[in-house]
Amino acid sequence: MLITGTVIADPETVIDDGAVVIEGSTITAVGKADALLSEHPDHERRAFDIVAPGLVGGHVHSVQSLGRGIADDDELLDWLFEAVLPMEAAMDAEATRAAAELGYLECLESGTTTVVDHLSVNHAAEAFEAAIETGIRGRLGKVLMDKESPDGLLESTDAGLAETEALIGEYHGAADGRIRYAVTPRFAVTCTEACLRGCREIADRYDGVAIHTHASENKDEIATVEEATGKRNVHWLDEVGLTGPDVTLAHCVHTDESERDILAETDTVVTHCPSSNMKLASGIAPIHDYLERGITVALGNDGPPCNNTLDPFTEMRQASLLGKVDARDPTRLPAETVLAMATINGARAAGFDRIGRLEAGYEADLIGLTTEKTRATPLHDPLSHLVYAAHGDDVVFTMVAGTVRYDGGEHVGIDADAVRERATRHAERVVEAAGIETAGR
Amino acid sequence: MLITGTVIADPETVIDDGAVVIEGSTITAVGKADALLSEHPDHERRAFDIVAPGLVGGHVHSVQSLGRGIADDDELLDWLFEAVLPMEAAMDAEATRAAAELGYLECLESGTTTVVDHLSVNHAAEAFEAAIETGIRGRLGKVLMDKESPDGLLESTDAGLAETEALIGEYHGAADGRIRYAVTPRFAVTCTEACLRGCREIADRYDGVAIHTHASENKDEIATVEEATGKRNVHWLDEVGLTGPDVTLAHCVHTDESERDILAETDTVVTHCPSSNMKLASGIAPIHDYLERGITVALGNDGPPCNNTLDPFTEMRQASLLGKVDARDPTRLPAETVLAMATINGARAAGFDRIGRLEAGYEADLIGLTTEKTRATPLHDPLSHLVYAAHGDDVVFTMVAGTVRYDGGEHVGIDADAVRERATRHAERVVEAAGIETAGR
């Protein structure tokens, strides 16, 4: 296939009248359309206004999709212990499958081609199957919770680690390598030292398996960890092996200088979730400092109960705007920086070498956008448009590993209406079973 | 006409299986669909998933629409003096008309039915004509700049005030009262005392004419005003008559206690522009304090060069999220509060008594939304969805004063493609004539 348009190959490279050539699952050439069209006269052709790399959701919770809107405007602890965790505990296999499918469809239709996905304790295999089925690329992991956790989620250290290894055997490298595994302890508050050390051991034992967890999202969390361990959270994670180039830590809102030194020295990846941090009032992560220290910062939507969408364009815009006002400097986090966070840095968070830019030899993960919209008029600067004005709704074409998954407003190869219908049905059932009180407005 | 759906009549009133009955330009009944359908069997019927009041843009710059994306990631003074003001100065009548039409179409298609619109010094009549033509409801005003302003915008005090009165004569109350006038000094930095006092005199002389200006958006501005007048900005505005229930002040980011006392005592309306304040790094307006003092706070997108869209849903979400993280309290600015800001409070900012809610006797300004979207699934809470997940793209129907202006993705009675084509053409010409360097990526 040969795809033409204004090609935003990476944050520094915009090719007017450009083209991307795809053979199988791989990009084989990127350049000016004229030359590539004459070199490849027989390729199937598609044209979009803007062609960009598929975006990377560096921290999502697809299985929380059934909880969109269940607990807005709530205190964090109520949000977590009265709504989100009871919902996860009440989800059976079918509900988990429906939730993950819904989340992946939302990602694919709004421009995310790769997710770093924090699943749940139970029924994680269902999400792996949903990822394989929907065609999204992903670094997924079953959640580990072996202390301080509600019934229905708490499990023994050994059981959690054993299931982790079973899932690695089953799914790590599945779908021609499109699916990879991240060992996923929920966070230091709900995981014993044995569990956390066990996570590192497993990650070291299996080639290409990574680690993904939450860290230092809010002040209660870090106080709890400090009380239990005598250490600041990132010091604790470092001690038990949960730092390093194969580790993605979501949030990192509340870190001190010494913790930032550790993140930089160990080349740990941080995923910034600006909308989630704002909506849950967690705070503003020190992104400027992280970037100045050379720490890789990706972007994530977190989950529908705290965002309430998985639109990656919302997060790019939000990261930039929040970063500017936080620094009181409108030049900070310019469009190219946040696009890098959602693409190149996201590739680091996801642990895939050959995604995040349009370049020969890279995976054919890309999106096509329309600019036939009032809010894309005039279009002085495609990169500005992508970051500051575009929505997920502007995505009209999504390809993952050379396979078209979304085209002209329709998902390819999956009945999206049926997915939405199933998700609604399971959501109502699960919310009722868990006794969650929604706003009921 | 009789319109059915989940009716969000106001922030406290959600009617499942509801209906709105419209006769001419007015709502005559709101209630349960069953009863209203049997009372009005012959009315034309339309059905939407959600029916809500048309939203109010409490501070916009429609004529800056040609400058979307021209000056992202810039220092504020560069942004203003090297891009936005040169663009305004270079705009002729045709460019101004194209810009205003573009802005109004973007508003109407994304759910805004009323704008409080800060035009430009020149060719303001073109924007009034565009408002009449596109069918938007508006409180518009020609901008006054009689000192410290660049060539092409600076005009004499008398000339500005005289043209203001001429425009009031021509347009205040036009289109059956859909168009009203606001005397619109740019801000205290570029207006003499004589100009500001003249604005108050004019507003008092004409029934229903209001005042709209910028105030205390950034620290340089308030320092300049204090140097020139010896007073804090809001004290100065109060002294020259620019406070009161007929005054809308955009921004009010940097105010001290005594200024907030004045705003509360005089019942002055504040329009909060969270995305603009973030992107230009102006700061975070003390909205919680304003609301606690009983000050009416509306919402505004400001202009495309600093937002970069006029989507009102983006501002509702942004106001809530920014307010929560600013207060470090996720319960602040809940969905119902920000919806009130964008509707009921917006009506105050716009100075129209009978807009902002769906109620018998109110103007028939309303929008219909689809929830047949993945990001609207599941839909536990329509009000949460409207504020936290919906985009302007979900709006499928817009009615102003009983006239359908946007229906099923198409503008009614205006060639939107031609408007966009004209806007692009004039934007290129104006940016080149003004010598503005866009990012050129």
Side-chain angles (χ1 to χ4, degrees):
Chain A
M1 191 180 286
L2 192 154
I3 299 175
T4 58
T6 297
V7 174
I8 299 177
D10 62 51
E12 309 299 331
T13 314
V14 177
I15 308 169
D16 293 325
D17 303 315
V20 180
V21 182
I22 294 142
E23 314 278 353
S25 66
T26 308
I27 295 168
T28 56
V30 178
K32 279 289 192 184
D34 277 357
L36 292 172
L37 283 164
S38 57
E39 283 173 32
H40 304 279
D42 300 326
H43 276 54
E44 181 188 349
R45 295 180 187 185
R46 297 296 303 269
F48 304 103
D49 296 325
I50 292 177
V51 183
L55 303 174
V56 181
H59 175 66
V60 305
H61 291 259
S62 67
V63 301
Q64 290 181 2
S65 292
L66 301 189
R68 191 194 312 276
I70 56 169
D72 301 306
D73 312 323
D74 258 2
E75 293 285 357
L76 178 72
L77 292 181
D78 290 346
W79 176 87
L80 187 64
F81 288 101
E82 303 297 325
V84 174
L85 293 183
M87 177 187 73
E88 286 191 13
M91 286 171 69
D92 58 15
E94 282 193 321
T96 305
R97 179 64 171 265
E101 286 175 348
L102 183 75
Y104 298 148
L105 293 195
E106 190 186 355
C107 287
L108 290 167
E109 72 191 44
S110 56
T112 296
T113 52
T114 299
V115 286
V116 183
D117 196 354
H118 188 112
L119 305 175
S120 185
V121 170
N122 307 313
H123 312 297
E126 297 293 332
F128 281 94
E129 294 291 339
I132 292 169
E133 177 195 16
T134 58
I136 201 160
R137 185 183 300 281
R139 170 77 67 175
L140 282 57
K142 161 208 164 59
V143 169
L144 298 160
M145 299 173 76
D146 69 339
K147 71 168 187 178
E148 307 293 336
S149 301
D151 286 351
L153 294 176
L154 181 70
E155 65 181 354
S156 76
T157 311
D158 290 347
L161 294 173
E163 195 190 346
T164 294
E165 291 199 86
L167 287 164
I168 290 170
E170 184 76 17
Y171 293 112
H172 180 57
D176 297 322
R178 181 161 56 74
I179 305 299
R180 296 185 184 174
Y181 202 91
V183 186
T184 308
R186 188 156 212 129
F187 63 152
V189 172
T190 63
C191 296
T192 63
E193 180 174 350
C195 174
L196 297 175
R197 290 189 185 276
C199 289
R200 166 48 70 196
E201 284 164 21
I202 290 174
D204 286 347
R205 198 176 314 139
Y206 295 91
D207 187 41
V209 166
I211 293 171
H212 172 210
T213 189
H214 298 108
S216 306
E217 179 178 4
N218 73 71
K219 290 188 174 176
D220 287 345
E221 168 201 355
I222 61 174
T224 303
V225 173
E226 192 155 0
E227 198 174 320
T229 68
K231 294 192 184 336
R232 297 275 302 182
N233 191 35
V234 174
H235 284 274
W236 174 241
L237 293 176
D238 188 53
E239 179 170 321
V240 297
L242 299 197
T243 53
D246 62 347
V247 176
T248 294
L249 300 181
H251 302 300
C252 295
V253 175
H254 301 286
T255 53
D256 68 15
E257 290 284 317
S258 66
E259 292 177 289
R260 296 175 199 181
D261 289 343
I262 292 173
L263 295 174
E265 285 160 14
T266 57
D267 199 17
T268 302
V269 180
V270 171
T271 295
H272 179 38
C273 303
S275 291
S276 167
N277 297 160
M278 293 172 77
K279 185 151 180 275
L280 291 172
S282 305
I284 300 175
I287 299 308
H288 305 299
D289 191 39
Y290 292 157
L291 293 175
E292 279 159 17
R293 289 166 181 269
I295 296 169
T296 300
V297 180
L299 280 182
N301 284 68
D302 209 344
C306 65
N307 190 305
N308 295 351
T309 85
L310 299 179
D311 186 331
F313 294 90
T314 301
E315 284 332 281
M316 286 199 286
R317 176 180 156 106
Q318 194 67 283
S320 176
L321 268 56
L322 184 63
K324 291 175 191 307
V325 77
D326 180 40
R328 297 294 190 273
D329 179 352
T331 70
R332 305 296 282 273
L333 295 187
E336 48 270 37
T337 301
V338 294
L339 181 59
M341 291 164 74
T343 55
I344 299 163
N345 298 5
R348 269 290 318 277
F352 286 86
D353 289 341
R354 303 248 143 210
I355 64 167
R357 60 174 79 231
L358 303 181
E359 188 178 310
Y362 273 63
E363 297 277 355
D365 290 10
L366 60 80
I367 56 178
L369 292 93
T370 177
T371 60
E372 295 293 311
K373 300 231 170 182
T374 308
R375 71 163 173 273
T377 309
L379 187 57
H380 293 293
D381 177 348
L383 195 52
S384 159
H385 172 70
L386 204 69
V387 169
Y388 296 121
H391 287 175
D393 303 73
D394 302 346
V395 173
V396 293
F397 181 85
T398 304
M399 169 182 277
V400 185
T403 302
V404 181
R405 297 297 181 173
Y406 183 72
D407 194 358
E410 299 292 334
H411 288 275
V412 178
I414 190 163
D415 183 344
D417 287 337
V419 171
R420 288 188 282 260
E421 184 277 322
R422 278 200 297 275
T424 295
R425 185 158 42 82
H426 288 293
E428 286 170 3
R429 184 173 62 80
V430 164
V431 164
E432 191 181 335
I436 298 165
E437 292 198 19
T438 60
R441 287 178 281 225
Chain B
M1 191 181 286
L2 192 153
I3 299 174
T4 58
T6 297
V7 175
I8 300 178
D10 62 50
E12 309 298 330
T13 314
V14 177
I15 308 168
D16 293 325
D17 302 315
V20 180
V21 182
I22 294 141
E23 313 279 354
S25 66
T26 307
I27 295 167
T28 56
V30 178
K32 279 290 193 184
D34 278 357
L36 291 172
L37 283 164
S38 58
E39 282 174 33
H40 305 277
D42 300 326
H43 276 54
E44 180 188 349
R45 294 181 186 183
R46 296 297 302 270
F48 304 103
D49 296 324
I50 292 178
V51 183
L55 302 174
V56 181
H59 175 66
V60 304
H61 291 259
S62 67
V63 301
Q64 291 180 1
S65 293
L66 302 190
R68 189 194 313 276
I70 56 170
D72 300 306
D73 312 322
D74 259 1
E75 293 286 358
L76 178 72
L77 293 181
D78 290 345
W79 177 85
L80 188 65
F81 287 101
E82 305 296 325
V84 173
L85 294 183
M87 177 187 73
E88 286 192 13
M91 286 171 69
D92 58 15
E94 282 193 322
T96 305
R97 178 65 170 265
E101 286 176 348
L102 183 76
Y104 298 147
L105 292 195
E106 190 185 356
C107 287
L108 289 167
E109 72 190 44
S110 57
T112 296
T113 52
T114 298
V115 286
V116 183
D117 196 354
H118 188 111
L119 305 176
S120 185
V121 170
N122 307 314
H123 312 296
E126 297 293 332
F128 281 94
E129 294 291 339
I132 292 169
E133 177 194 16
T134 58
I136 201 161
R137 186 183 300 281
R139 171 77 68 176
L140 283 56
K142 162 209 163 55
V143 169
L144 298 160
M145 299 173 78
D146 69 339
K147 72 169 186 178
E148 306 293 336
S149 301
D151 287 350
L153 294 175
L154 181 70
E155 64 181 354
S156 75
T157 313
D158 289 349
L161 295 173
E163 195 190 348
T164 294
E165 290 200 87
L167 287 164
I168 290 171
E170 185 76 17
Y171 292 111
H172 181 57
D176 297 323
R178 182 163 53 76
I179 305 299
R180 295 185 185 173
Y181 202 91
V183 186
T184 307
R186 188 154 211 132
F187 63 150
V189 173
T190 62
C191 297
T192 63
E193 180 174 350
C195 174
L196 297 174
R197 290 190 186 275
C199 290
R200 166 48 71 197
E201 284 165 21
I202 291 174
D204 285 349
R205 200 177 311 143
Y206 295 90
D207 188 41
V209 166
I211 292 170
H212 172 212
T213 190
H214 298 108
S216 307
E217 179 178 2
N218 74 71
K219 290 188 174 176
D220 288 344
E221 168 201 354
I222 61 175
T224 302
V225 173
E226 193 156 358
E227 198 173 320
T229 68
K231 292 189 187 336
R232 297 275 301 180
N233 191 35
V234 175
H235 283 275
W236 173 241
L237 294 176
D238 189 52
E239 180 171 319
V240 297
L242 299 197
T243 54
D246 61 348
V247 176
T248 295
L249 300 181
H251 302 299
C252 294
V253 176
H254 302 285
T255 53
D256 69 15
E257 290 284 318
S258 66
E259 292 178 288
R260 298 175 199 181
D261 288 344
I262 291 173
L263 295 173
E265 285 160 14
T266 57
D267 200 16
T268 302
V269 180
V270 171
T271 295
H272 180 37
C273 302
S275 291
S276 168
N277 297 160
M278 294 171 77
K279 186 151 179 274
L280 292 172
S282 305
I284 300 175
I287 299 308
H288 305 299
D289 192 38
Y290 292 156
L291 293 174
E292 279 160 17
R293 290 166 181 267
I295 296 170
T296 300
V297 181
L299 280 182
N301 284 68
D302 209 345
C306 66
N307 189 306
N308 297 353
T309 86
L310 299 178
D311 186 330
F313 293 89
T314 302
E315 282 338 277
M316 286 199 287
R317 175 180 156 107
Q318 194 67 282
S320 176
L321 269 56
L322 184 63
K324 291 175 191 309
V325 78
D326 180 42
R328 297 294 189 273
D329 179 352
T331 69
R332 305 296 282 274
L333 296 187
E336 48 270 38
T337 300
V338 294
L339 181 60
M341 291 164 75
T343 54
I344 298 163
N345 298 5
R348 269 288 320 277
F352 285 86
D353 289 342
R354 302 246 143 210
I355 64 168
R357 60 175 78 232
L358 303 180
E359 187 177 310
Y362 273 63
E363 297 278 355
D365 291 9
L366 60 79
I367 56 179
L369 292 93
T370 177
T371 60
E372 295 295 311
K373 299 231 170 183
T374 308
R375 71 163 174 273
T377 309
L379 188 57
H380 293 294
D381 177 347
L383 196 51
S384 161
H385 172 70
L386 205 68
V387 169
Y388 296 121
H391 287 176
D393 302 75
D394 302 346
V395 172
V396 293
F397 180 85
T398 304
M399 170 182 277
V400 185
T403 301
V404 180
R405 298 296 182 172
Y406 184 72
D407 194 358
E410 300 291 334
H411 289 275
V412 178
I414 191 163
D415 183 343
D417 287 338
V419 170
R420 288 189 281 261
E421 185 276 321
R422 277 199 298 275
T424 295
R425 186 158 42 82
H426 287 294
E428 287 171 2
R429 184 174 61 80
V430 164
V431 164
E432 191 181 335
I436 299 165
E437 292 198 19
T438 60
R441 288 178 278 226

